[in-house]
Amino acid sequence: MGQDPKFTAREITQIGWYTARMAKRGIAGENVHLGDLQKKVDRIIDGAREREARQAADAAAAEKAARKAAAKARNRK
């Protein structure tokens, strides 16, 4: 897997909450199912990766538009 993205405060809180619930279930015994909570944590991480990719694409588009506007302004002189 790739590197973990930067998480928002909400994502950190959610991951912490699900981790605490997994730990509580782990105390109950070895045969307790944790898959549902692990899937929720994985979904949060995947969502954060998608958010970072979307933000990077938006930043690149904004930079390209700024360069285009600057070139257009230079050509007007």
Side-chain angles (χ1 to χ4, degrees), residues 5-8 11 46-56:
K6 287 197 176 257
F7 296 110
T8 62
E11 292 165 344
D46 291 341
R49 283 191 184 117
E50 290 173 6
R51 177 184 41 78
E52 271 200 347
R54 192 172 50 247
Q55 286 176 344

Side-chain angles (χ1 to χ4, degrees), residues 3-72:
Q3 185 178 6
D4 283 342
K6 287 197 176 257
F7 296 110
T8 62
R10 178 186 173 133
E11 292 165 344
I12 290 170
T13 304
Q14 286 178 327
I15 290 173
W17 174 253
Y18 291 134
T19 302
R21 288 183 61 195
M22 282 189 265
K24 186 176 176 184
R25 285 188 189 178
I27 293 171
E30 292 181 18
N31 296 328
V32 178
H33 180 67
L34 299 175
D36 59 332
L37 297 175
Q38 290 169 342
K39 286 180 186 177
K40 288 180 181 184
V41 170
D42 289 342
R43 256 187 267 140
I44 292 168
I45 294 170
D46 291 341
R49 283 191 184 117
E50 290 173 6
R51 177 184 41 78
E52 271 200 347
R54 192 172 50 247
Q55 286 176 344
D58 290 346
E63 184 179 335
K64 182 178 178 181
R67 277 189 269 124
K68 187 175 181 180
K72 193 173 187 181

